[in-house]
Amino acid sequence: MTAPFSLSPVRPAEMTVGQPLRWPVYDWHGNLLLASGVVIESQGQLDGLIENGFIHDARWDAESNKQAPDYRKGGKKSIDAQIADEPAPGKEILIAMDDIRWLVGETLYLQCHDNLAVRYAVRLIGFVKNKTVFVTPPALDGKYEFIREGQTFIVRAFSGKKAYAFTAAAVKSVHTPHPYLHLSYPKQVRCTIVRRGVRAEVKIIAAVSLGEPERVTAATITDLSTGGASGNLKELLGKKGDEGRIKFKVRAAENDEYLNLKTILRSVTPSEHGDGFRYGFEFLDISIHERLILSAFVHQTLAEAT
């Protein structure tokens, strides 16, 4: 259920491993993840909260109720007002760069315009309105990539239920005293509302166990959400309603994460390619930490998608 108040991404400086939370933390739907006073137990849990957690920001509520512009007289609409006009999931709107609540450290994905297979994950440093956007330098395997001036990118980001995309060109690579990249300032940013429970198209090898007595086989997961997955198996394994486990690895927030999730089999159909069967699984009793990992991976995959 969506929270009846404004949410903003958590502030990393205000969270520490081994210390209790000062505020409750929510997911992007407004569902409570961790209550205030709960102690953060590990760095992985902290990283997940920083990547995907939101807190109630009363300042946004106050600002939205203060000196509200009269849109009928030409006042400028906020992003939320524009989205309220067009709430349908998947509906795209055009907004200004400075209308987005970008935060320093926001993950952006740069996809090379002339080679869509090449993608870089960078962090937002800041921007100067109508002039430039500053990001950390693109890197692969810990080594900075050579970026030529004028090279163009499709830039993507994902925050809450909103996916953003715009086109920008490399203006200048700066190497001293600290490396960073100047990107051209976009005139407009495309914003799309992603439906709840959205699934990301993936290709992940997994181990699936089902039934009593337990049977184990390999599967290829083809789409994944925070609530479940579907994929292809070469043989029949169990029946609808059987519980089991599914094990697989994802790379989320620049870390390899291994998941071992309890599942229930919800559907079995012949594969559309005539080779094996397509299975649909629902995840059961997953922990907050596991949900955060899934959320980070799904959002990252959607943001990187062409």
Side-chain angles (χ1 to χ4, degrees):
M1 181 176 67
T2 302
F5 44 73
S6 295
L7 296 172
S8 67
V10 299
R11 294 181 280 270
E14 297 176 345
M15 291 185 174
T16 306
V17 175
Q19 296 297 318
L21 289 170
R22 297 171 60 186
W23 305 278
V25 179
Y26 304 88
D27 67 11
W28 67 97
H29 297 304
N31 299 314
L32 182 66
L33 292 178
L34 288 178
S36 60
V38 173
V39 175
I40 300 175
E41 297 178 350
S42 66
Q43 185 62 44
Q45 186 181 34
L46 175 61
D47 292 342
L49 290 173
I50 291 172
E51 192 74 19
N52 303 285
F54 295 79
I55 61 172
H56 176 207
D57 193 334
R59 293 173 298 175
W60 288 4
D61 291 332
E63 290 172 3
S64 65
N65 293 324
K66 181 175 66 176
Q67 297 179 345
D70 187 345
Y71 302 134
R72 294 169 297 180
K73 297 180 180 179
K76 186 179 180 181
K77 289 189 177 184
S78 67
I79 298 174
D80 293 334
Q82 296 177 56
I83 290 170
D85 288 344
E86 303 182 60
K91 186 71 174 181
E92 183 178 274
I93 61 174
L94 295 176
I95 56 180
M97 176 79 174
D98 55 305
D99 280 341
I100 306 171
R101 298 178 180 127
W102 297 106
L103 294 178
V104 173
E106 191 97 37
T107 300
L108 305 179
Y109 299 93
L110 308 186
Q111 186 174 27
C112 295
H113 200 271
D114 56 357
N115 186 355
L116 297 179
V118 178
R119 299 184 176 96
Y120 306 106
V122 299
R123 299 282 183 174
L124 178 70
I125 298 172
F127 61 84
V128 178
K129 184 177 179 181
N130 296 326
K131 293 188 179 296
T132 188
V133 179
F134 306 96
V135 298
T136 56
L140 286 178
D141 299 324
K143 297 180 179 180
Y144 295 135
E145 291 284 285
F146 171 74
I147 303 298
R148 66 182 185 277
E149 292 184 12
Q151 185 174 350
T152 57
F153 299 96
I154 301 169
V155 185
R156 304 180 190 277
F158 202 109
S159 179
K161 292 184 287 184
K162 305 180 186 76
Y164 301 102
F166 60 90
T167 300
V171 177
K172 186 177 181 61
S173 290
V174 178
H175 302 287
T176 58
H178 303 288
Y180 63 91
L181 176 67
H182 282 272
L183 295 175
S184 60
Y185 191 89
K187 293 182 179 179
Q188 290 182 316
V189 177
R190 300 194 307 275
C191 176
T192 304
I193 308 303
V194 179
R195 65 181 176 86
R196 184 171 182 171
V198 67
R199 288 175 176 261
E201 293 186 7
V202 297
K203 188 175 182 181
I204 301 173
I205 302 300
V208 176
S209 60
L210 279 176
E212 290 291 344
E214 182 182 73
R215 296 178 60 198
V216 182
T217 191
T220 302
I221 300 174
T222 54
D223 62 68
L224 181 68
S225 75
T226 57
S230 64
N232 298 318
L233 281 72
K234 291 186 177 181
E235 59 183 296
L236 280 173
L237 185 74
K239 61 184 183 300
K240 286 194 292 185
D242 281 350
E243 294 187 3
R245 304 200 73 86
I246 185 167
K247 303 176 184 178
F248 56 96
K249 181 182 77 171
V250 297
R251 186 165 181 82
E254 302 179 11
N255 291 306
D256 288 331
E257 303 284 355
Y258 296 86
L259 295 170
N260 183 355
L261 306 177
K262 183 179 179 181
T263 64
I264 183 169
L265 181 59
R266 292 301 190 190
S267 65
V268 182
T269 59
S271 171
E272 54 268 31
H273 304 297
D275 179 21
F277 303 88
R278 185 168 181 81
Y279 277 56
F281 300 95
E282 178 186 353
F283 300 144
L284 300 177
D285 304 326
I286 63 175
S287 68
I288 291 173
H289 180 61
E290 291 166 337
R291 189 177 298 278
L292 287 172
I293 293 172
L294 286 169
S295 174
F297 176 74
V298 169
H299 283 187
Q300 177 179 306
T301 303
L302 290 170
E304 292 178 337
T306 57

